[in-house]
Amino acid sequence: MTATAKRSRIERYEPTEVEPRWQAKWDELRLHETDLHDRSRPKSYILTMYPYPSGDLHIGHWYIVTPTDAIARFHRMHGENVFFPIGFDAFGLPAENAAIRGGFLPREWTMQNIANMRRQFRTMGATFDWRAEVVTCEPEYYRWNQWFFLKFLEAGLAYRAMAPVDWCPKDQVVLAREQVEGPNRVCWRCGTPVVKRDLEQWFFRITKYADELLSYDAIHWPEPVRLMQTNWIGRSEGAEITFETAQSEHHAGGEPIRVFTTRPDTLFGATFMVLAPEHPLVERLTAPTVKPAVDAYVYQSRRQTEIERLSTEREKTGVPIGADAINPVNGERIPIWIADYVLAGYGTGAIMAVPAHDERDFVFARKFGLPVRRVVAAPGTEADDPMDDAYVAHTVDERLVNSDRFSDLPAEDGGHRIVEWLAKDGRAQATVGYRIRDWLISRQRPWGTPIPVVYCDRDGIVPVREDQLPVVLPDDFEYQRNGDNPLLHHPGFLDTTCPKCDGPARRETDTMDTFVDSSWYWYRYLSPHKDDGPVDRPLVDTWCPVDQYTGGAEHAVLHLLYARFFTKAMRDCGLVAEDEPFKRLFNQGQILGADGERMSKSRGNVQDPDELVQRFGADTVRLFLMFMGPWDQGGPWSPSGIGGVHRFLTRVWTIALDPHGSEPGDPESGHLPAGEDEQAARTAIRRAAHKTLMVVTAEYESFKFNTMVAHLIELANTLMRYRGTSVAGLAEWDEAVRLLLLMLAPSAPHIAEELWSRRLVVAGSAWSSIHTERWPEPDEAVATDETREVPVQVNGKLRDRVVVPAGISEIELEQVVLARDKVRAALGGKAPERIIHAGGGRLVNIVVR
RNA sequence: GCCGAAGUGGCGGAACCGGCAGACGCGGCGGACUUAAAAUCCGCUGCCCGCAAGGGCGUCAGGGUUCGAACCCCUGCUUCGGCACCA
């Protein structure tokens, strides 16, 4: 028989035949349905961020989901009851944009995409429990958004307010503070520069939880995400200090103006005061003589969109309002200015300007010729040394100067004393400032959760009664040429009756930010169709918090912050018991297009996974994505290398089905490696398998999938070397193949199942799925080498390597090493000064002078 | 500007806690099998000198600590991510 004839005995590996067959079988067996009430095993809630139904799954979805699926499967093989659901984040602008382009209503477009994506998801072979699916644009989901809104309203966590808000002129929508990006302040979605508008809007009071959100004690999250959230919340300790206006010709004086500062120690250096142009006192304090200039400035800064603000290095502007304030520490009159570098929304909208110790104030003072007075001096600096820059450093040794009786005190201490002193008669108070603002949830778009309130001429703003929920979104709205929210022109939706007086009323047409949907969806997975409440409390208590959450880092201060807020708010409304939603978080990197840019249809750099699955199979695609590099890194997409992973699976196929075959292209094929007898070969195989099991187990646990795959490839290569030899097919070989398949099962579930099944047939055993097997235990004794190779350095340079018994003593090792020719040559006759045995015998370094 | 992450062969990347730099894969070169090609398999593959044995150099650049540095420290450069006058 020729070698080719031998090879042809086994079928080729055909993933397109294998994979759908097993997917159907798993479905039939309901292998992936979780019994949420099974308490006999430890629970494990594995969650991956649900996708927006944009139309097609792209390679980025696979990159997020398939390793997460491997994690879920790995846990299941450890005997845990794993819940791994998926759903769709179905409200949002892309559906509207598609509808405006024509041909579809947002609902139709969305539902078609969902149907398509469900089909695509199945080709992954992921273990989703589809019974848990949530689709957020369904009334059975979004009615609970409305219900939460009413609860939050009751609890004072939702409110309506007039506020200057960021408006995207292209999307015709108000944006949350978190959705405005970059120095040019552009819309996160379309990149259009936003403009300010004054509008009555609905807010969620996330600021109430600012301090609690700063604590990460209960969660294990990546440091970068925690830092980003911490910076976003932006807590700074300081004091509010009350100045009073001075009496002048046009003004009686005595009007309090509160300022916020983090540097009360510099109070004696305040040489002027600046109000935000929007500050309510501006109108009242402005002197008649400068009123035209002040009005012009206020008008201009109000009108100014952020477009004009091309750079933060922009020239500072401002005008004096012709009034003075009195510095409470020294009674000095200081001029009041308005300038747009003071923000109305932070602190009190007013600052005391200390040009000597604040860069911005310094620049402003220089530009307008305002006095600069040093009040903090570093060691070696005199109180009246001239200043070329603001001195802002904070060191332990600096002391106060020019500060009356506080002079010579250390700066920090002096600051405290100044506040204490002023606090006695209520002119100061220690406070905390935050950068974070309340979450603006109103959107002027029709494709979202209707906010459940009505406007009644008699009763004003009236919440919809709980028993009247859901406020159902009509499907048949029409887009308006003028860009108005279509709901404003939909009488069937708009006209209603007042829940209080039954008189005619108008519905709120604003809908909720879609981030409301994603702020609690993982709770709903546990009871997606429950119709008497948003969450099933006993199930939530059993299953939450989520044990492992995976998703992109782009949500660090959007979704992930809102989700934490929602959990805390739900807790305070008595709905859940926990403080945090996600115990552990892993941010995988992003797959970019081949051009290094974000994948998008418009750039034409989207990689279609279906095509790769057709060619190589889902298992190869899954494994390749895991092998590419560290999971948290991502990177530009390149398919080169996928062939290597596919070859690996083909080798696994060959090893498992044809251990006795040989390679005609290799003259050594069928012979044991030189110098190895059968016994040594059997030991080598066992050792390789158990060593691999040890490292692969650790790599699954720490999500180091790239090296995990590398180690599986290595094991397969080792087995390949023994194929066709006298040890192929023996017990050790068989065990190694068995371990290889089990280790492969979480990552390449189809081929593992197929080969496992065929082994069972050969063994005459009844069929059972590899995915219900327990993860194997390594035999550490077997995995330990009897000898080891020790690198030998002389003065830190590698000169030789010696193979010694594993248990050799340091003294014996030194004798062996010093007798080596290469070592003696390198020593050049000199006596060793010192011999270093590094890290448990990993290396020997001989030091000579 | 501030905060954070990172810089290793032609490429993706590996290297536990300061201890053999380049695992594994791609690509490349050579070979086997084949009438031939594909597929598959085997060998080599950081750079330089050398027929070879061997030697020298090498982890962004420059300095430092150490018996020993890709890893720690200092200075600088580059790339990526976040923030955007937050008093």
Side-chain angles (χ1 to χ4, degrees), chain A residues 744-758:
Chain A
L744 204 51
S747 303
H750 310 88
I751 189 174
E753 184 81 299
E754 175 72 18
L755 294 173
W756 186 259
S757 303
R758 292 184 184 223

Side-chain angles (χ1 to χ4, degrees), chain A residues 731-754:
Chain A
E732 292 81 3
W733 167 282
D734 200 61
E735 184 195 22
V737 171
R738 181 173 171 273
L739 293 180
L740 177 59
L741 294 181
L742 286 167
M743 287 187 276
L744 204 51
S747 303
H750 310 88
I751 189 174
E753 184 81 299
E754 175 72 18

Side-chain angles (χ1 to χ4, degrees), chain A residues 120-358:
Chain A
Q120 291 178 309
F121 263 127
R122 286 176 195 270
T123 69
M124 288 178 178
T127 59
F128 295 126
D129 185 343
W130 285 98
R131 295 174 311 166
E133 183 197 57
V134 301
V135 174
T136 58
C137 66
E138 297 287 15
E140 73 168 358
Y141 186 83
Y142 69 71
R143 75 176 281 189
W144 302 109
N145 286 342
Q146 297 172 340
W147 188 89
F148 283 125
F149 180 92
L150 298 179
K151 283 280 170 279
F152 288 1
L153 209 54
E154 256 175 60
L157 291 170
Y159 65 92
R160 185 172 164 85
M162 172 71 90
V165 298
D166 296 305
W167 172 263
C168 173
K170 175 145 180 279
D171 290 342
Q172 297 278 318
V173 69
V174 157
L175 297 171
R177 180 64 200 76
E178 290 81 355
Q179 293 166 341
V180 180
E181 295 180 337
N184 300 338
R185 313 213 0 104
V186 301
C187 170
W188 70 308
R189 193 178 274 292
C190 67
T192 309
V194 301
V195 297
K196 285 275 182 213
R197 283 197 170 181
D198 277 325
L199 290 172
E200 283 258 332
Q201 300 285 293
W202 289 100
F203 292 86
F204 281 164
R205 206 180 297 278
I206 192 171
T207 52
K208 180 181 171 190
Y209 295 94
D211 277 318
E212 200 188 335
L213 288 166
L214 284 168
S215 161
Y216 308 94
D217 292 346
I219 51 184
H220 301 101
W221 280 22
E223 181 68 20
V225 176
R226 298 194 328 232
L227 251 166
M228 276 160 74
Q229 294 206 349
T230 299
N231 292 340
W232 188 262
I233 294 163
R235 182 180 203 273
S236 47
E237 289 185 18
E240 258 181 38
I241 293 169
T242 306
F243 284 57
E244 272 181 14
T245 54
Q247 193 264 326
S248 68
E249 278 171 32
H250 68 281
H251 176 69
E255 185 89 49
I257 306 180
R258 292 175 311 126
V259 303
F260 176 72
T261 179
T262 54
R263 294 291 305 277
D265 54 320
T266 64
L267 202 44
F268 283 86
T271 52
F272 57 104
M273 174 178 266
V274 187
L275 309 185
E278 300 91 338
H279 197 283
L281 283 177
V282 171
E283 174 108 40
R284 210 159 350 131
L285 298 181
T286 300
T289 46
V290 295
K291 190 158 182 2
V294 169
D295 285 350
Y297 187 83
V298 170
Y299 175 75
Q300 189 203 337
S301 65
R302 287 210 55 79
R303 200 191 55 121
Q304 191 176 38
T305 65
E306 315 286 326
I307 305 169
E308 280 116 321
R309 240 169 120 157
L310 288 171
S311 160
T312 32
E313 297 303 310
R314 189 176 66 120
E315 272 284 285
K316 287 208 167 18
T317 58
V319 292
I321 63 168
D324 293 336
I326 293 173
N327 187 336
V329 290
N330 55 14
E332 261 178 28
R333 281 180 84 113
I334 57 175
I336 303 174
W337 287 60
I338 56 172
D340 62 6
Y341 82 91
V342 173
L343 307 176
Y346 183 78
T348 60
I351 62 159
M352 61 178 210
V354 185
H357 305 292
D358 181 280

